[in-house]
PDB file of all heavy atoms in Angstrom:
ATOM      1  N   ASP A1202       8.884 -13.461  20.236  1.00 91.00           N
ATOM      2  CA  ASP A1202      10.231 -13.124  19.809  1.00 91.00           C
ATOM      3  C   ASP A1202      11.041 -12.328  20.937  1.00 91.00           C
ATOM      4  O   ASP A1202      12.238 -12.312  20.873  1.00 91.00           O
ATOM      5  CB  ASP A1202      10.291 -12.307  18.554  1.00 91.00           C
ATOM      6  CG  ASP A1202      10.218 -13.104  17.284  1.00 91.00           C
ATOM      7  OD1 ASP A1202      10.042 -14.389  17.437  1.00 91.00           O
ATOM      8  OD2 ASP A1202      10.218 -12.602  16.186  1.00 91.00           O
ATOM      9  N   PHE A1203      10.272 -11.765  21.828  1.00 90.00           N
ATOM     10  CA  PHE A1203      10.890 -10.907  22.943  1.00 90.00           C
ATOM     11  C   PHE A1203      10.999 -11.697  24.214  1.00 90.00           C
ATOM     12  O   PHE A1203      11.428 -11.089  25.213  1.00 90.00           O
ATOM     13  CB  PHE A1203      10.138  -9.579  23.136  1.00 90.00           C
ATOM     14  CG  PHE A1203      10.307  -8.645  21.966  1.00 90.00           C
ATOM     15  CD1 PHE A1203       9.356  -8.561  20.899  1.00 90.00           C
ATOM     16  CD2 PHE A1203      11.378  -7.835  21.923  1.00 90.00           C
ATOM     17  CE1 PHE A1203       9.507  -7.620  19.914  1.00 90.00           C
ATOM     18  CE2 PHE A1203      11.582  -6.808  20.870  1.00 90.00           C
ATOM     19  CZ  PHE A1203      10.561  -6.850  19.791  1.00 90.00           C
ATOM     20  N   LEU A1204      10.538 -12.910  24.192  1.00 87.00           N
ATOM     21  CA  LEU A1204      10.543 -13.591  25.523  1.00 87.00           C
ATOM     22  C   LEU A1204      11.901 -13.676  26.227  1.00 87.00           C
ATOM     23  O   LEU A1204      12.102 -13.630  27.418  1.00 87.00           O
ATOM     24  CB  LEU A1204      10.054 -15.065  25.318  1.00 87.00           C
ATOM     25  CG  LEU A1204       8.570 -15.201  25.318  1.00 87.00           C
ATOM     26  CD1 LEU A1204       8.139 -16.622  25.162  1.00 87.00           C
ATOM     27  CD2 LEU A1204       7.821 -14.587  26.532  1.00 87.00           C
ATOM     28  N   ASP A1205      12.987 -13.850  25.377  1.00 83.00           N
ATOM     29  CA  ASP A1205      14.433 -13.871  25.898  1.00 83.00           C
ATOM     30  C   ASP A1205      14.779 -12.691  26.612  1.00 83.00           C
ATOM     31  O   ASP A1205      15.790 -12.658  27.264  1.00 83.00           O
ATOM     32  CB  ASP A1205      15.383 -14.320  24.842  1.00 83.00           C
ATOM     33  CG  ASP A1205      15.548 -13.285  23.718  1.00 83.00           C
ATOM     34  OD1 ASP A1205      14.640 -12.373  23.558  1.00 83.00           O
ATOM     35  OD2 ASP A1205      16.429 -13.330  22.871  1.00 83.00           O
ATOM     36  N   SER A1206      14.133 -11.647  26.478  1.00 84.00           N
ATOM     37  CA  SER A1206      14.391 -10.273  27.152  1.00 84.00           C
ATOM     38  C   SER A1206      14.144 -10.436  28.519  1.00 84.00           C
ATOM     39  O   SER A1206      14.676  -9.662  29.461  1.00 84.00           O
ATOM     40  CB  SER A1206      13.736  -9.129  26.509  1.00 84.00           C
ATOM     41  OG  SER A1206      12.364  -9.189  26.846  1.00 84.00           O
ATOM     42  N   GLY A1207      13.106 -11.320  28.959  1.00 81.00           N
ATOM     43  CA  GLY A1207      12.589 -11.322  30.334  1.00 81.00           C
ATOM     44  C   GLY A1207      11.837 -10.253  30.851  1.00 81.00           C
ATOM     45  O   GLY A1207      11.574 -10.140  31.937  1.00 81.00           O
ATOM     46  N   MET A1208      11.377  -9.340  29.904  1.00 86.00           N
ATOM     47  CA  MET A1208      10.675  -8.236  30.234  1.00 86.00           C
ATOM     48  C   MET A1208       9.305  -8.036  29.635  1.00 86.00           C
ATOM     49  O   MET A1208       8.714  -6.953  29.730  1.00 86.00           O
ATOM     50  CB  MET A1208      11.522  -6.936  29.884  1.00 86.00           C
ATOM     51  CG  MET A1208      12.758  -6.823  30.738  1.00 86.00           C
ATOM     52  SD  MET A1208      13.894  -5.425  30.275  1.00 86.00           S
ATOM     53  CE  MET A1208      14.643  -6.102  28.824  1.00 86.00           C
ATOM     54  N   VAL A1209       8.784  -9.139  29.055  1.00 92.00           N
ATOM     55  CA  VAL A1209       7.424  -9.104  28.540  1.00 92.00           C
ATOM     56  C   VAL A1209       6.600 -10.280  29.318  1.00 92.00           C
ATOM     57  O   VAL A1209       7.127 -11.138  29.812  1.00 92.00           O
ATOM     58  CB  VAL A1209       7.332  -9.304  27.015  1.00 92.00           C
ATOM     59  CG1 VAL A1209       8.024  -8.199  26.282  1.00 92.00           C
ATOM     60  CG2 VAL A1209       7.962 -10.666  26.617  1.00 92.00           C
ATOM     61  N   TYR A1210       5.300 -10.046  29.172  1.00 94.00           N
ATOM     62  CA  TYR A1210       4.404 -11.079  29.880  1.00 94.00           C
ATOM     63  C   TYR A1210       3.489 -11.653  28.772  1.00 94.00           C
ATOM     64  O   TYR A1210       2.865 -10.937  27.928  1.00 94.00           O
ATOM     65  CB  TYR A1210       3.403 -10.298  30.963  1.00 94.00           C
ATOM     66  CG  TYR A1210       4.270  -9.743  32.047  1.00 94.00           C
ATOM     67  CD1 TYR A1210       4.730  -8.569  32.001  1.00 94.00           C
ATOM     68  CD2 TYR A1210       4.532 -10.597  33.107  1.00 94.00           C
ATOM     69  CE1 TYR A1210       5.403  -7.945  33.190  1.00 94.00           C
ATOM     70  CE2 TYR A1210       5.227 -10.067  34.276  1.00 94.00           C
ATOM     71  CZ  TYR A1210       5.680  -8.696  34.283  1.00 94.00           C
ATOM     72  OH  TYR A1210       6.379  -8.159  35.270  1.00 94.00           O
ATOM     73  N   VAL A1211       3.388 -12.927  28.734  1.00 93.00           N
ATOM     74  CA  VAL A1211       2.621 -13.591  27.748  1.00 93.00           C
ATOM     75  C   VAL A1211       1.709 -14.671  28.442  1.00 93.00           C
ATOM     76  O   VAL A1211       2.033 -15.214  29.424  1.00 93.00           O
ATOM     77  CB  VAL A1211       3.593 -14.441  26.741  1.00 93.00           C
ATOM     78  CG1 VAL A1211       2.629 -15.267  25.816  1.00 93.00           C
ATOM     79  CG2 VAL A1211       4.372 -13.540  25.998  1.00 93.00           C
ATOM     80  N   TYR A1212       0.474 -14.690  27.979  1.00 92.00           N
ATOM     81  CA  TYR A1212      -0.427 -15.618  28.536  1.00 92.00           C
ATOM     82  C   TYR A1212      -1.345 -16.374  27.486  1.00 92.00           C
ATOM     83  O   TYR A1212      -1.383 -15.841  26.345  1.00 92.00           O
ATOM     84  CB  TYR A1212      -1.419 -14.834  29.511  1.00 92.00           C
ATOM     85  CG  TYR A1212      -2.439 -13.897  28.697  1.00 92.00           C
ATOM     86  CD1 TYR A1212      -3.761 -14.362  28.490  1.00 92.00           C
ATOM     87  CD2 TYR A1212      -1.946 -12.614  28.407  1.00 92.00           C
ATOM     88  CE1 TYR A1212      -4.720 -13.581  27.923  1.00 92.00           C
ATOM     89  CE2 TYR A1212      -2.984 -11.862  27.713  1.00 92.00           C
ATOM     90  CZ  TYR A1212      -4.222 -12.259  27.448  1.00 92.00           C
ATOM     91  OH  TYR A1212      -5.181 -11.518  26.880  1.00 92.00           O
ATOM     92  N   ASN A1213      -1.820 -17.494  27.826  1.00 87.00           N
ATOM     93  CA  ASN A1213      -2.706 -18.307  26.944  1.00 87.00           C
ATOM     94  C   ASN A1213      -4.055 -17.769  27.085  1.00 87.00           C
ATOM     95  O   ASN A1213      -4.738 -17.632  28.088  1.00 87.00           O
ATOM     96  CB  ASN A1213      -2.572 -19.732  27.461  1.00 87.00           C
ATOM     97  CG  ASN A1213      -3.429 -20.714  26.555  1.00 87.00           C
ATOM     98  OD1 ASN A1213      -4.436 -20.249  25.874  1.00 87.00           O
ATOM     99  ND2 ASN A1213      -2.926 -21.905  26.303  1.00 87.00           N
TER     100      ASN A1213
END
Side-chain angles (χ1 to χ4, degrees):
D1202 275 3
F1203 289 94
L1204 278 181
D1205 63 346
S1206 72
M1208 289 178 281
V1209 296
Y1210 296 90
V1211 175
Y1212 70 97
N1213 185 325

